[in-house]
Amino acid sequence: TPLGDELVIVGAKGMQILDPESGKIRRVMRRVLMSVATAGKTLVFVDGESIYLSTLELLAQNRVIAQMKPGKTFGPNNVRILDQAAIVTGPGGALVIDLRNPNKPKAMAKLSTREIGEVVDATRVRGRVFLVGSRGLQVLNRSLTRIEETIDVGERNRVTVMGRHLVTADRVGLQVVDASPWADASMPAARR
């Protein structure tokens, strides 16, 4: 994930910072990490058991802003930052974290797999958040607290945005979905 002019890379070797200009890599943390995303200078990352929020400055001091422990059964393994919220997904479901004040993150909703199926990815287009996983493509309500509608029931592995369209992937191909029916209405042009 980008952080200023650098890239943050996570995996089996921990967290590393890559300077694309010089090609130099420096290790920030040795813990095995599964996913990372940034909200300004704040890093949100997961290790399969916990969700952490920190900055590079705090990590240099072996400190974090917050640690949330949804547990091994939730198994946080993917993070997406969508505007001022983090969507953390794993085998146990999805957790929506309010990041309007990154120094005091707050869990807004925990959606279990019993309710929504296993979720593997999330994205935002035109003001709405979409999830993909074992139950297909789903749209969250505007308050990000529950599933409003299931758009497609086929299992999906990834989702991304292309203009007003959602592009979802599964094991056999891609599907393009026009998100306009679920998007926030655009503001009318001002009268002159």
Side-chain angles (χ1 to χ4, degrees):
T1 190
L3 182 64
D5 294 335
E6 299 176 312
L7 296 173
V8 181
I9 303 167
V10 298
K13 292 186 176 183
M15 182 183 293
Q16 302 176 79
I17 306 296
L18 168 67
D19 182 345
E21 293 279 324
S22 67
K24 291 186 179 182
I25 297 176
R26 73 180 194 278
R27 187 176 310 211
V28 178
M29 176 184 265
R30 292 195 182 277
R31 173 176 292 197
V32 175
L33 299 172
M34 303 177 95
S35 182
V36 65
T38 55
K41 291 184 175 187
T42 303
L43 297 162
V44 181
F45 51 97
V46 295
D47 66 0
E49 289 183 42
S50 296
I51 304 161
Y52 302 91
L53 283 85
S54 192
T55 62
L56 288 179
E57 295 80 18
L58 288 174
L59 287 175
Q61 303 168 23
N62 290 322
R63 295 177 46 213
V64 296
I65 295 168
Q67 177 182 7
M68 299 176 160
K69 295 184 177 187
K72 283 186 179 182
T73 55
F74 182 85
N77 60 21
N78 191 32
V79 180
R80 291 281 184 254
I81 303 292
L82 307 172
D83 292 334
Q84 297 178 342
I87 310 290
V88 179
T89 59
L95 182 65
V96 181
I97 302 169
D98 183 352
L99 296 176
R100 285 179 282 192
N101 180 357
N103 291 320
K104 293 187 180 184
K106 179 179 151 189
M108 294 170 56
K110 186 175 182 181
L111 308 165
S112 76
T113 53
R114 286 186 304 263
E115 302 167 43
I116 65 171
E118 184 176 345
V119 176
V120 294
D121 203 1
T123 195
R124 184 179 190 103
V125 62
R126 294 191 170 193
R128 298 302 299 271
V129 173
F130 296 85
L131 306 174
V132 293
S134 62
R135 294 191 185 167
L137 179 62
Q138 301 173 326
V139 61
L140 284 175
N141 64 354
R142 285 174 171 73
S143 62
L144 306 179
T145 56
R146 65 178 177 77
I147 295 296
E148 183 174 285
E149 188 173 348
T150 299
I151 299 167
D152 176 28
V153 295
E155 184 175 344
R156 300 287 179 245
N157 300 325
R158 291 286 172 245
V159 65
T160 192
V161 175
M162 186 173 65
R164 71 172 198 251
H165 295 91
L166 296 161
V167 180
T168 64
D170 61 17
R171 291 186 179 112
V172 294
L174 299 174
Q175 180 180 22
V176 179
V177 177
D178 185 351
S180 298
W182 298 276
D184 288 343
S186 59
M187 297 298 291
R191 290 185 177 173
R192 291 183 183 228

